[in-house]
Amino acid sequence: MSLPPQNVLEDVFGYPEFRGQQQSIIEATLAGRDSLVIMPTGGGKSLCYQIPAMLREGTGLVVSPLIALMQDQVMALRELGIEAEFLNSSQSPDERREVMSKLRQGRLQLLYVAPERLVTEHTRSLLRDIPLSVIAIDEAHCVSQWGHDFRSDYLGLGDLGRLFPGVPRMAVTATATDKTREEIVARLELNEPERYVAPFDRPNIAYAVQVKTDARGQLLKFLQTHRNEAGIVYCLSRKKTESIASWLCGQGFDALPYHAGLAAEVRTENQRRFLAEDGLVIVATIAFGMGIDKPDVRFVAHLDLPKSIESYYQETGRAGRDGEPADAWMVYGLQDVVRLRQMLDESQASDEYKRYEGFKLDALLGWCEVTGCRRRPLLAYFGDSQDEDCGNCDGCLTPAKTWDGAEAAQKLLSAVYRSGQRFGAAHLVDVLLGKETDKVLQHGHDQLSVFGIGKDLPATTWRSVARQLIVAGHLRADAARFGALVLTETSRGVLRGETPLLFRKDPTRPVMASRKSATARVVADEDQGLWEALRACRQTLANEHNVPAYVIFHDKTLQEMLAFRPQTASEMLGISGVGQTKLDRYGEQFLSVLRDEALSQEHRRGT
Ligand code: ADP
Ligand code: ZN
């Protein structure tokens, strides 16, 4: 092995230090071990396989499900002076032949391949002839049949270990609950993998959820804090993405729609513009986003409820990948829930799957209704518990009005217990309300001591109590028992009245602390001129090189230039995000902007 990973990080990527577990992951791979890497979006997963690919002999193979993602990564790698190519259906046969010939000549450090291509005998025999340094399987959760992104081609990746013995494999994903994690290891047949689970927290993202009252008005108010910034607005239907986009244009925003029903050219063009421009809003269905690597997305807004906490976290994770402040904002209404349930009922999926998805939707709804810090239960859902409130969510900044729910919780838990922990929320609510339904009579539940003890609250409140108890972990919906609610270890404390419980009240008057736009928060007034000059320089270079502005330098890198004002090439190398290749390509242009500024300052001081 020639160089230590640290040198590659500094010289090629221009970063002073590894983040989180990057270094151990890279070392395990260099030592030839398989690994499972779970990191939130923006955590820095790609470096974990890119650096071993550069340090081990042979070509690094990256399996990636999305063409847009491949193109983006390959473009960024080339800007760093790394030899990278992809093989996918967007290329002509001639283009593909050229890539293959480079591959055979050993000229590629990284090759990105779509899974459907990798399962073909043709590609496999090609790859068998060349040395591979590492095999990275990106978006590895796509192998999970329970997940929302299942791709059957991923099931064919299990035999890569046998086909390429001795090549370390790395499964990489941003979404995985315990169950999915083990499914990935099993189906990809990883060999005693090292497991790396990074903290899921994205502290720079501020979470806020409101009940939908006047969705457009609410959105407009929210967007006032994000003028001229890039962001994504998610809607459930295709039609709605178009109407919201054109309405936003009427309100003075640059907005474009994106959904699977648009012509391919329009889709490509809208996505290209979103990536390339600084302040565009894309209004999209969930068809948009997977594989969007844009680091400076300043907000993700949901006008409709996503279908699970997993989806929500993945979608909002597209904001603030550069680590700068960003907003995840959502409005939700009960109508959303009804519609999502309908879509689920009408789908062709198995009953078991529908039930499973139904619980996930309930968990999300419960999360919408939490009082207090929103981040803690969100992270707890992914098994990542935090001891302190975050101070960067609506729950922390503008606490909701609450009511003491201890007694209601006791009634509901008693109903669960007395009916034998075999029934779902709807039936239990009937029992509490004293309704003599067929089911109630059939099971003799009108004879229970809890029958009718909940008449003081309406059914909607009872359902909300059930959801909030599930989210707080005092009740569990058992998938294996048709959604029956069962008690948990902590239920006892609630039943005994030892656990204080506050439930959300009056969720229709949420307030959002008004904040300055993300950029305004970091650039001081007197620096505004230089900031704009640096951005203009970046845009010019981006146009010349035909790449998005952030591929030249991230905002964060420009901010460091603003703070440290490097005047020489070696000072410039000290800026995070400036490596040798980028210094050679762009250093001089930015230095000249910075020197001009220094000169005019002296001038101002002199006169
Ligand atoms: P992921 O694939 O996990 O979503 P990326 O690999 O795209 O995340 O990394 C997110 C951003 O963080 C990228 O712009 C990347 O260049 C940057 N990054 C990664 N590792 C580091 C590091 N050690 N120091 C600074 N920036 C980093
Ligand atoms: Zn909080």
Side-chain angles (χ1 to χ4, degrees), residues 399-459:
K401 288 216 176 103
T402 55
W403 58 286
D404 181 350
E407 193 189 318
Q410 284 168 20
K411 287 180 181 172
L412 182 62
L413 293 184
S414 306
V416 169
Y417 179 69
R418 303 223 175 266
S419 56
Q421 308 189 55
R422 292 191 292 125
F423 298 89
H427 177 72
L428 293 164
V429 171
D430 285 344
V431 173
L432 287 168
L433 293 176
K435 287 197 183 158
E436 296 182 339
T437 64
D438 289 347
K439 197 167 169 182
V440 166
L441 296 177
Q442 182 193 334
H443 291 280
H445 287 168
D446 52 335
Q447 303 303 313
L448 295 177
S449 58
V450 290
F451 185 72
I453 61 168
K455 284 182 179 159
D456 52 330
L457 297 173

Side-chain angles (χ1 to χ4, degrees), residues 68 258 267-275 282 288 292:
Y258 188 102
R267 246 178 12 226
T268 313
E269 173 61 8
N270 290 3
Q271 172 162 330
R272 188 197 65 75
R273 281 193 54 196
F274 178 68
L275 292 175
I282 200 109
F288 181 78
I292 294 300

Side-chain angles (χ1 to χ4, degrees), residues 5-6 18-28 30 48 196:
Q6 177 73 34
F18 284 111
R19 261 193 210 157
Q21 297 162 296
Q22 281 176 330
Q23 186 160 9
S24 348
I25 299 169
I26 290 168
E27 279 165 4
L30 289 175
C48 297
Y196 299 94

